[in-house]
Amino acid sequence: MVFSAQHQALGPQLAGAGTCRPRRPAASSSSVISASLHESGLSSQQTLSRKPLHWIRKKTLALSSVSAVAAAAGGGFLFHLASGTPPPGNPGGGGGWGWGSGGGGDGGGFWSHIFSPLSAIAEEDQTAAGGGQEWDSHGLPANIVVQLNKLSGFKKYKISEIFFFDRRKCTTVSGTEDSFFEMVSLRQGGVYTKAQLLKELETLASCGMFEKVDLEGKTKPDGSLSLTVSFTESTWQSADSFRCINVGLLPQSKQVEMDSDMTDREKLQYFRSQEKDYKRRIERSRPCLLPIPVQREVLQMLRAQGKLSARLLQRIRDKVQKWYQDEGYACAQVVNFGNLNTREIVCEVVEGDITNLDIKFQDKLGNICEGNTQLGVIRRELPKQLRQGHVFNIEAGKQALRNINSLALFSNIEVNPRPDEKNEGGIIVEIKLKELEQRSSDVSTEWSIVPGHNGRPTLASIQPGGTVTFEHRNIKGLNRSIHGSVASSNILNPQDDLAFKLEYVHPYLDGLYNPKNRTFRASCFNSRKLSPVFTGGSVVEEVPPMWVDRVGFKANVTESFTQQSKLTYGLVLEEITTRDETNTICTHGTRPLPSGALSMDGPPTTLSGTGIDRMAFVQANITRDNTKFVNGAIVGERNVFQLDQGLGIGSKFPFFNRHQLSVTRFFQLSAVKEGAGKPPPPVLVVHGRYGGCVGDLPGYDAFTLGGPYSVRGYNMGELGACRNILELATELRFPVLNTHMYAFAEHGTDLGSSKDVKGNPTEFFRKVGHGSSYGVGVKLGLVRMEYAVDHNASTGAMFFRFGERF
Amino acid sequence: MASPAAREWLGIQSLPGATQTKLHELLSKLKQENVSTVTILVMGKGGVGKSSTVNSILGERVASVSAFQSEGLRPMMFSRTRAGFTLNIVDTPGLVEGGYVNEQALDIIKRFLLNKTIDVLLYVDRLDSYRVDNLDRLVIKSITDSFGKEIWKRGLLVLTHAQVSPPDGLDYADFYARRSEALLKFIRLGARIKKQEFQDSAVPVVLAENSGRCKTNDSGEKVLPDGTAWIPNLVKEITDVILNGSSPITVDQKLIDGPNPNDQGKFFIPLILAFQYFFVAKWIKRAIKNDIKNESKPLWELRDMGLANREF
């Protein structure tokens, strides 16, 4: 007593949809993962602002959510739904369709089916009807019961109420409260024609949930109709075991047309063969992902309720489907319940097996075009769960999206699972990419008004400034890029402050298909920074600023171990010039004397003593970072070791080993449930940093103590400039409303090494050489607002800082 | 700066006869030990009586002294010869300015002393100030940093204004003992000399009273409240220090510059580098590998890898 798996797919046809819809609602659901990237045309660098990921659920998905259980009655077999006409003389389901009572409930393979009873057309009709359009009064006396076929075919009826009447229980429930409500496409307040109502009835009857179903209207005084769906639920004998199988990609069993004039013997044979087919089908199916605890829960549901009713199947389906949806298997769908009327019911699930991965490029107009990017570049960013043979999971899709987005090559990325037409139950993961323009350049200009000699701006003091940038990205489709920028705040006199940078990036150094991820970078750069070494301690009056200009060339190789952990090593050649505020090269630090004069004999700024140092050294950095976000709070550990090894090449043959090790741990203090909107856990941060230098140490490279990233509550370099440094900090973060507050205590010391810096800048600028601070703060978006007490002076002050301390 | 030609020590004649006799005795004692030149460096905070002490020793008014202002902005050297013996006294400006050690003054002093040999350091402070504070330590520390620890083996603590009436409840000897003890402790701390070492070669303490109202004894010598004539006593202590076996301090460029910290430990850089590579970098790399191994994968990934065993 079997029937074929075919028919659920035909449901829509029965419903009169007639359109070419995918066979399974599950497969027809399609989620589009897309991220749009703006290309900011004005900005010089590639400022790619990422829109929040959003998920577009197509209408088809919404439809699939109202799919229903079609159940076969104990009668025995089901007819091919394509017939479209209820088989005559069906004893099992009076008003229904689709099933016969061949074997008389001998416990053979009885099937029920799930499909979407709602057609797209019905949906469209309804939306069309929803728009407050006109309707006709029924033109009948109020409060009389009208059979559906008594209604006029020319009128548009407004359905003001829908009730469900369970004939077995003899209860009437208002429409929206009944679990069968989802089966009905009619909505309260909608306007329908008689044909539509009839079609609806047909759909309901064909869905298999009901042994018998009928629609009747009741006229209302205001001219609208109150509709009552009276039904008898289908039931089967109770089952005590539950099995879930993955039927995705299984070929549909061949449907042998059952002839209406088969003999009983032939029929029996037919059913037997169907049964055997089904057994083979179960054997061939793959185990599904549904975990045993969930299966156990389903089993409990089965046991709790003696008889297996359509509603129970519906609940089981919802439960199973909910688990899949919650776990991100967006394409998973319960397609069928089989083996009904036996001890073990079989839940057939199409989980969404990926049959193909399709990467497409789009031009600006959205047409498919040839891409410049080599596919390997994209493929290596994709998690292997998106490859053929894996079950599609939306999280894998999201990860692919994030990874591809981090390439910064595309303005629009869509990861889109779509049903595979050629392969029943298969999913093709389609990745659509819009490439960014390969070459871009940009010029921006600005006027700046600097105060003239009287402090008043004059015409001559208006300076034109500007930035020129250019970028050539994705060279050869291998994500290599050249990026350059030149900026000056005074174009008329650019030698004053010409900032430039030219960088070449060469990823996949070990080949596109090598899992080793090394990137080569080479850059020419210059930078200008205020030195925190040559600044005053807390008691010294204004110390004239000292600028450290660096011009040089850098080449390094970065090897990424994980997203965050990496190793970088390379060579730096640079020329360092120290200048005072008038832009002249200076050789020694200066400090105002109490008399007002400047003491010019401070510590030497450079190694060479001339104010200009040239040197070559090897730079290496290894970062271990396993931090992750728990509801927005960072938890984990971060260790960074940085090394500058002088090679003895340069002015005065600098040979040195300058090293820093920082260890930061973020302890989660209480376990929290993860999820959006849940509060972050309190976190204890412990941080230690050691820095030291052996060998030649020019003044500008001395380690400095104090500042928002060293010891808070002090100015940059206020505590000292030294050869060895030790910083210890701890911070306790606890969530408050939507942000967090924190309390911290920090200490920094020069370990007595200030005297080992030539000229002893710590002493010259009268810095203490060590200091502690403590305070409290609150995070307001990107800004940290904190009150820090400087322990040396025991005074507190309010600070606003950007970014994180750790 | 070329030192001016040494003049005949005429001032000695203005000293009382008894003092002259004692000084001659001491000088001849030095001569017996083949010491014919003695350079005395006088240092201390401002306004403690450095210049006055110099004047008192020489018996001349060589350094201008004013009651309210310290005049000396640069070091001065006074050289006197007497019977083939040369005495150089270097008077220095006060080392404190604005509550801090005046590094600049110290620097000038160092430059001034370049290529000279210091036989004795007179560290001058007042007896009649009651407190020692961190500043004293800083002054002593900077002197030590400039000339090295060894200078204190040739050091003498001179306490001026010795004719003081001690505060209530203390007798003079007690007060003197406490004051000198406190200062010596700070010298020890500031110079970072080990306690044991310091006890072995203690810095002698000498009292001085430069005031004109200083009591005199019968022979006209200036005497301290305990009755000793202080100038001969001071010179005697100086002689003792010179003859105590320690070597005089020669100020050369190296001493002025101090040890070059940039050269320290350069030799060990290859070793340090090896340590960093084999221990620090490897350790972090191992930790990263561990992280990758222990990374908690999302459930969907585990299920995909077939590690879930259908348990979740």
Side-chain angles (χ1 to χ4, degrees):
Chain A
M1 311 260 155
V2 187
F3 93 169
S4 95
Q6 284 275 14
H7 30 297
Q8 83 269 359
L10 299 167
Q13 286 181 23
L14 238 198
T19 48
C20 182
R21 283 183 72 229
R23 292 168 69 94
R24 277 204 195 87
S28 69
S29 70
S30 73
S31 312
V32 179
I33 311 163
S34 80
S36 299
L37 299 163
H38 290 300
E39 194 186 357
S40 164
L42 276 174
S43 113
S44 55
Q45 284 142 4
Q46 45 164 37
T47 50
L48 297 163
S49 64
R50 191 201 295 191
K51 267 193 190 171
L53 306 178
H54 55 261
W55 297 76
I56 301 162
R57 302 197 114 198
K58 286 192 174 160
K59 203 168 96 188
T60 44
L61 189 63
L63 276 176
S64 72
S65 70
V66 286
S67 60
V69 177
F77 64 87
L78 284 154
F79 285 108
H80 204 289
L81 295 188
S83 63
T85 47
N90 184 345
W97 53 274
W99 24 355
S101 65
D106 60 353
F110 292 102
W111 290 66
S112 72
H113 301 269
I114 296 159
F115 49 78
S116 165
L118 304 183
S119 71
I121 282 191
E123 185 83 350
E124 276 152 24
D125 283 351
Q126 191 205 325
T127 48
Q133 109 245 69
E134 291 180 7
W135 51 280
D136 304 309
S137 170
H138 49 66
L140 294 166
N143 289 328
I144 59 161
V145 176
V146 199
Q147 292 301 316
L148 208 55
N149 46 18
K150 298 269 170 59
L151 293 173
S152 162
F154 303 105
K155 280 186 177 173
K156 290 179 183 161
Y157 292 96
K158 177 172 178 171
I159 308 295
S160 54
E161 286 167 312
I162 299 176
F163 292 103
F164 285 88
F165 176 67
D166 190 335
R167 284 187 198 166
R168 203 163 277 154
K169 291 185 190 158
C170 289
T171 48
T172 308
V173 193
S174 171
T176 47
E177 286 157 33
D178 198 276
S179 64
F180 286 130
F181 181 64
E182 62 172 70
M183 312 278 305
V184 184
S185 71
L186 305 177
R187 291 293 171 262
Q188 291 185 10
V191 177
Y192 304 94
T193 61
K194 180 186 175 184
Q196 281 173 338
L197 292 174
L198 279 172
K199 201 190 292 165
E200 180 67 27
L201 179 60
E202 213 171 341
T203 315
L204 286 176
S206 64
C207 72
M209 293 283 289
F210 310 111
E211 277 177 29
K212 189 173 176 171
V213 68
D214 209 356
L215 279 181
E216 57 192 22
K218 196 174 170 191
T219 55
K220 303 253 313 184
D222 61 354
S224 62
L225 281 177
S226 159
L227 201 69
T228 305
V229 183
S230 56
F231 63 91
T232 313
E233 209 183 326
S234 311
T235 51
W236 302 267
Q237 72 176 71
S238 61
D240 55 9
S241 81
F242 174 77
R243 181 167 177 175
C244 189
I245 54 169
N246 180 10
V247 295
L249 303 185
L250 271 192
Q252 293 296 336
S253 42
K254 284 265 159 40
Q255 190 76 35
V256 184
E257 199 63 37
M258 192 162 89
D259 221 333
S260 52
D261 37 83
M262 267 192 221
T263 62
D264 278 0
R265 204 189 151 86
E266 275 173 338
K267 272 184 193 163
L268 203 65
Q269 210 162 10
Y270 172 74
F271 291 134
R272 283 223 177 107
S273 78
Q274 290 282 350
E275 204 178 328
K276 224 159 75 192
D277 279 354
Y278 190 59
K279 271 203 178 128
R280 204 175 302 136
R281 184 176 160 82
I282 291 178
E283 274 159 25
R284 269 167 44 207
S285 68
R286 286 163 298 148
C288 67
L289 295 169
L290 197 71
I292 285 160
V294 180
Q295 298 205 20
R296 222 171 273 144
E297 279 172 46
V298 171
L299 213 56
Q300 263 164 10
M301 283 166 72
L302 279 173
R303 283 184 187 143
Q305 201 154 355
K307 240 178 183 182
L308 191 59
S309 68
R311 274 172 208 252
L312 184 61
L313 283 182
Q314 207 177 14
R315 283 217 307 278
I316 292 173
R317 179 212 57 189
D318 286 347
K319 187 169 191 75
V320 172
Q321 242 163 236
K322 184 173 181 306
W323 181 84
Y324 275 104
Q325 297 294 334
D326 289 352
E327 296 298 316
Y329 299 100
C331 297
Q333 193 83 16
V334 174
V335 292
N336 200 2
F337 279 106
N339 262 8
L340 294 173
N341 271 353
T342 63
R343 310 213 55 88
E344 180 183 67
I345 62 164
V346 175
C347 175
E348 294 182 16
V349 186
V350 168
E351 292 184 328
D353 296 272
I354 296 166
T355 51
N356 200 1
L357 179 70
D358 193 11
I359 299 171
K360 281 180 181 151
F361 294 95
Q362 289 177 313
D363 62 13
K364 281 202 172 124
L365 300 169
N367 302 319
I368 303 298
C369 64
E370 193 105 328
N372 165 51
T373 314
Q374 294 201 14
L375 289 185
V377 173
I378 297 150
R379 272 183 202 280
R380 63 180 290 146
E381 297 299 327
L382 299 175
K384 73 170 192 297
Q385 284 76 14
L386 276 189
R387 285 189 211 145
Q388 193 178 338
H390 297 262
V391 175
F392 178 78
N393 190 299
I394 216 144
E395 294 301 321
K398 280 184 190 172
Q399 197 179 334
L401 192 66
R402 277 194 298 267
N403 291 357
I404 297 174
N405 193 22
S406 66
L407 289 174
L409 291 177
F410 307 103
S411 62
N412 189 46
I413 305 158
E414 275 179 29
V415 177
N416 183 11
R418 71 174 161 82
D420 187 350
E421 275 93 7
K422 288 184 199 128
N423 216 336
E424 193 65 42
I427 297 285
I428 295 177
V429 178
E430 195 176 60
I431 297 173
K432 284 187 189 155
L433 304 162
K434 242 178 227 171
E435 290 184 316
L436 283 171
E437 202 63 51
Q438 245 189 310
R439 290 188 184 83
S440 64
S441 59
D442 184 30
V443 179
S444 68
T445 52
E446 61 189 13
W447 292 94
S448 55
I449 302 172
V450 282
H453 57 96
N454 289 334
R456 235 175 286 136
T458 60
L459 200 60
S461 69
I462 301 177
Q463 290 180 350
T467 312
V468 181
T469 56
F470 69 91
E471 182 167 21
H472 191 163
R473 61 171 93 80
N474 207 0
I475 299 166
K476 284 184 161 181
L478 285 168
N479 200 10
R480 296 171 191 170
S481 66
I482 295 177
H483 175 263
S485 72
V486 181
S488 171
S489 65
N490 188 359
I491 287 177
L492 302 177
N493 204 3
Q495 65 272 26
D496 273 4
D497 67 327
L498 196 68
F500 64 85
K501 184 165 188 184
L502 181 71
E503 188 180 38
Y504 172 68
V505 183
H506 184 119
Y508 320 121
L509 200 61
D510 298 289
L512 201 49
Y513 300 98
N514 192 326
K516 206 170 174 184
N517 186 0
R518 291 200 301 168
T519 303
F520 172 78
R521 277 190 182 82
S523 61
C524 300
F525 62 92
N526 81 345
S527 72
R528 189 184 179 94
K529 274 187 191 143
L530 208 55
S531 170
V533 175
F534 301 92
T535 55
S538 50
V539 285
V540 182
E541 312 278 307
E542 284 291 295
V543 167
M546 172 81 68
W547 294 96
V548 178
D549 288 356
R550 290 167 191 261
V551 185
F553 169 80
K554 205 192 272 190
N556 60 35
V557 172
T558 303
E559 180 174 353
S560 301
F561 300 115
T562 68
Q563 292 275 0
Q564 295 154 306
S565 300
K566 56 179 186 277
L567 166 70
T568 305
Y569 45 91
L571 183 73
V572 182
L573 310 171
E574 63 180 359
E575 180 184 284
I576 302 110
T577 314
T578 50
R579 296 172 191 273
D580 62 13
E581 49 192 337
T582 61
N583 223 8
T584 45
I585 293 171
C586 62
T587 57
H588 288 86
T590 52
R591 171 190 81 183
L593 295 171
S595 56
L598 279 178
S599 152
M600 306 295 280
D601 54 351
T605 55
T606 51
L607 206 59
S608 63
T610 59
I612 301 173
D613 269 2
R614 292 189 185 91
M615 61 169 82
F617 59 94
V618 172
Q619 196 168 50
N621 178 316
I622 182 163
T623 303
R624 173 207 174 199
D625 187 346
N626 64 10
T627 57
K628 58 179 199 278
F629 285 95
V630 176
N631 295 344
I634 288 187
V635 171
E637 183 167 4
R638 190 185 296 137
N639 304 336
V640 182
F641 178 67
Q642 177 153 359
L643 172 69
D644 296 346
Q645 174 63 51
L647 299 173
I649 304 168
S651 334
K652 285 226 170 171
F653 311 106
F655 186 55
F656 55 90
N657 179 295
R658 190 171 183 271
H659 46 270
Q660 288 182 68
L661 175 69
S662 83
V663 177
T664 313
R665 288 198 77 160
F666 302 85
F667 294 100
Q668 182 175 345
L669 293 183
S670 70
V672 290
K673 274 195 177 157
E674 290 188 46
K678 299 244 169 56
V683 171
L684 176 72
V685 190
V686 179
H687 168 83
R689 173 170 168 245
Y690 169 77
C693 182
V694 182
D696 295 316
L697 178 70
Y700 50 81
D701 265 349
F703 292 101
T704 57
L705 273 173
Y709 301 102
S710 171
V711 183
R712 283 178 271 189
Y714 298 93
N715 294 329
M716 284 285 279
E718 184 186 318
L719 287 175
C722 38
R723 182 173 278 269
N724 299 311
I725 185 178
L726 183 67
E727 280 170 22
L728 298 168
T730 178
E731 184 173 294
L732 182 66
R733 299 172 173 173
F734 38 93
V736 174
L737 297 175
N738 285 328
T739 173
H740 71 256
M741 290 187 69
Y742 55 90
F744 64 88
E746 313 198 322
H747 178 73
T749 170
D750 64 354
L751 299 170
S753 67
S754 285
K755 62 176 184 348
D756 296 331
V757 180
K758 228 178 172 192
N760 201 342
T762 303
E763 199 165 287
F764 182 77
F765 295 109
R766 288 171 187 169
K767 302 178 184 183
V768 190
H770 56 85
S772 311
S773 68
Y774 52 89
V776 291
V778 63
K779 189 100 196 279
L780 304 166
L782 284 174
V783 182
R784 282 190 284 138
M785 184 175 81
E786 62 196 22
Y787 181 82
V789 178
D790 156 348
H791 201 254
N792 285 355
S794 293
T795 53
M798 204 75 187
F799 295 92
F800 287 89
R801 307 278 190 209
F802 274 99
E804 283 290 344
R805 158 75 170 90
F806 303 109
Chain B
M1 188 184 289
S3 49
R7 284 194 282 163
E8 188 65 19
W9 190 357
L10 299 172
I12 196 167
Q13 284 159 9
S14 63
L15 294 170
T19 310
Q20 282 191 37
T21 324
K22 278 177 200 159
L23 288 183
H24 278 117
E25 264 172 43
L26 291 166
L27 291 184
S28 54
K29 193 176 163 193
L30 282 173
K31 277 196 114 175
Q32 277 169 19
E33 300 286 331
N34 274 334
V35 180
S36 62
T37 310
V38 166
T39 307
I40 300 169
L41 175 63
V42 185
M43 292 184 100
K45 294 191 285 187
V48 292
K50 292 185 295 294
S51 300
S52 306
T53 309
V54 172
N55 288 348
S56 297
I57 295 171
L58 291 178
E60 294 173 39
R61 204 181 145 76
V62 282
S64 58
V65 178
S66 125
F68 299 105
Q69 208 183 342
S70 44
E71 290 267 323
L73 286 176
R74 33 189 304 131
M76 307 271 269
M77 181 150 104
F78 313 106
S79 301
R80 296 291 180 271
T81 55
R82 179 85 188 177
F85 183 85
T86 311
L87 179 68
N88 301 317
I89 300 187
V90 182
D91 186 21
T92 62
L95 285 175
V96 173
E97 186 176 295
Y100 279 93
V101 176
N102 189 342
E103 302 279 339
Q104 202 184 4
L106 197 63
D107 210 50
I108 293 170
I109 295 169
K110 280 198 277 188
R111 273 171 229 260
F112 180 84
L113 293 172
L114 184 59
N115 296 329
K116 291 191 177 68
T117 303
I118 303 165
D119 292 296
V120 178
L121 166 73
L122 296 188
Y123 181 70
V124 184
D125 205 343
R126 297 171 71 126
L127 178 66
D128 61 347
S129 53
Y130 303 141
R131 226 189 285 171
V132 281
D133 53 26
N134 200 34
L135 189 57
D136 292 293
R137 214 172 99 183
L138 287 177
V139 171
I140 289 158
K141 182 171 172 281
S142 54
I143 292 172
T144 316
D145 289 347
S146 304
F147 303 107
K149 248 195 255 185
E150 296 300 305
I151 190 109
W152 294 106
K153 288 196 176 153
R154 289 251 159 182
L156 257 173
L157 175 60
V158 180
L159 294 174
T160 57
H161 300 77
Q163 203 169 45
V164 65
S165 31
D168 295 345
L170 277 173
D171 67 351
Y172 186 84
D174 213 7
F175 176 69
Y176 161 69
R178 283 215 201 169
R179 173 77 181 145
S180 53
E181 192 193 345
L183 270 170
L184 284 175
K185 188 183 165 205
F186 265 64
I187 289 175
R188 184 172 62 77
L189 290 176
R192 273 180 258 120
I193 302 172
K194 281 186 202 118
K195 219 171 187 174
Q196 188 59 45
E197 203 181 319
F198 195 68
Q199 273 166 0
D200 290 350
S201 56
V203 173
V205 186
V206 192
L207 289 170
E209 177 55 67
N210 301 309
S211 162
R213 279 169 294 154
C214 182
K215 281 180 199 153
T216 51
N217 62 7
D218 302 341
S219 45
E221 289 175 303
K222 288 183 173 177
V223 289
L224 300 170
D226 65 353
T228 43
W230 68 266
I231 295 176
N233 184 38
L234 175 61
V235 179
K236 182 184 164 292
E237 289 290 346
I238 289 171
T239 326
D240 286 352
V241 166
I242 292 168
L243 300 177
N244 75 356
S246 58
S247 51
I249 309 293
T250 310
V251 180
D252 52 14
Q253 193 63 48
K254 209 171 151 193
L255 191 69
I256 291 176
D257 289 345
N260 187 357
N262 285 345
D263 288 335
Q264 280 172 15
K266 252 187 182 174
F267 183 72
F268 294 107
I269 287 177
L271 277 176
I272 293 168
L273 193 63
F275 173 80
Q276 284 162 347
Y277 178 76
F278 286 110
F279 291 94
V280 184
K282 289 262 167 161
W283 167 67
I284 293 178
K285 231 174 172 175
R286 239 191 339 263
I288 292 172
K289 267 190 194 136
N290 253 334
D291 284 347
I292 295 170
K293 211 167 69 190
N294 298 338
E295 193 183 7
S296 64
K297 293 211 165 79
L299 293 178
W300 58 268
E301 221 174 304
L302 286 179
R303 281 187 210 113
D304 186 83
M305 284 153 61
L307 293 175
N309 287 329
R310 303 190 69 193
E311 272 167 31
F312 39 79

